[in-house]
Amino acid sequence: RGEEAPGPVRILLTRTWPELNWVTLTTTATADTFVYNVSAYGTSDEAHVAIFLTDNYSITDTSENGFSIVPSTSITVTSPNGGEQWTIGTPQTITFVRSNASGAATVQLNRTYPTGGWETLNTNVSGSSLSWTPSGAASSNARVRVYLNSNPSLGDSSNANFSLISGASSLAVTAPNGGESWTVGSAQTITFTRNNATGNATVELNRNYPSGA
């Protein structure tokens, strides 16, 4: 537009060309550009824009060819998204929301965000969640991130840090745990599991439970 067409401009959009269902975007464009935040009213393969000089509708122009309006795409992490405390050894669910972002996704963990490296938890998540049992070192500044394998730039990470905390210390006898028959003089193995319980342990036997020593 030059000096021969001064004044505000009216800008319209149709998503249904050649049906002229025009929507007014502005009536007061005074520069030679206009920033339009594309609404979610509908997608289109044949969108057109028309412009008119607000004070003289005979001065006008329309897009020569159609253009496309396509759905937005995104992945948004919803949990953990900051502030959670997840106990190591306790099953948890990492969740995220997809918007027009189908396909396999990769889920990763960073225990020392932002300086730490990313540990891959799964590279083939087809849905919008991943069941995961935390293991390894505790952390107070962990984050997860998810990205689409076919487009790694399409992804998201936790908005803030969450914590991986150690569970209560415990020991659990696994054998003998009831019902076994051990022969005197034979070699047997007593087994147990530890949860956050490092160090030497004492093993004792009671031959007349519960009254025996």
Side-chain angles (χ1 to χ4, degrees):
R1 193 178 80 177
E3 293 299 325
E4 68 277 7
V9 170
R10 179 173 182 168
I11 303 176
L12 300 95
L13 167 71
T14 180
R15 300 176 190 239
T16 57
W17 184 273
E19 296 180 14
L20 302 182
N21 297 314
W22 293 107
V23 175
T24 299
L25 305 183
T26 184
T27 60
T28 59
T30 55
D32 293 338
T33 61
F34 173 71
V35 177
Y36 170 53
N37 292 321
V38 181
S39 67
Y41 179 78
T43 60
S44 174
D45 292 326
E46 279 293 337
H48 283 66
V49 164
I51 57 174
F52 299 86
L53 195 62
T54 301
D55 297 331
N56 184 354
Y57 275 26
S58 66
I59 301 176
T60 181
D61 192 26
T62 305
S63 305
E64 291 185 7
N65 297 294
F67 63 93
S68 298
I69 297 176
V70 299
S72 62
T73 57
S74 64
I75 288 179
T76 305
V77 173
T78 52
S79 179
N81 206 31
E84 297 89 346
Q85 290 189 332
W86 284 6
T87 302
I88 294 171
T90 301
Q92 306 289 347
T93 303
I94 297 169
T95 60
F96 53 97
V97 176
R98 298 174 183 255
S99 176
N100 300 303
S102 59
T106 292
V107 179
Q108 297 181 315
L109 168 72
N110 189 324
R111 296 177 189 267
T112 54
Y113 185 86
T115 59
W118 291 94
E119 306 170 29
T120 298
L121 305 181
N122 195 295
T123 60
N124 192 32
V125 180
S126 58
S128 296
S129 65
L130 174 66
S131 297
W132 173 59
T133 300
S135 61
S139 170
S140 60
N141 54 338
R143 297 197 188 193
V144 299
R145 72 178 178 187
V146 182
Y147 63 82
L148 199 64
N149 292 356
S150 61
N151 182 7
S153 65
L154 182 60
D156 188 36
S157 60
S158 307
N159 286 347
N161 295 338
F162 71 98
S163 298
L164 295 172
I165 61 175
S166 299
S169 298
S170 64
L171 297 173
V173 173
T174 54
N177 206 31
E180 297 88 347
S181 180
W182 284 6
T183 302
V184 174
S186 64
Q188 304 291 341
T189 302
I190 297 170
T191 61
F192 54 95
T193 60
R194 301 171 181 255
N195 183 35
N196 300 308
T198 59
N200 295 332
T202 297
V203 180
E204 298 181 326
L205 171 68
N206 188 321
R207 296 174 182 266
N208 192 26
Y209 185 85
S211 58

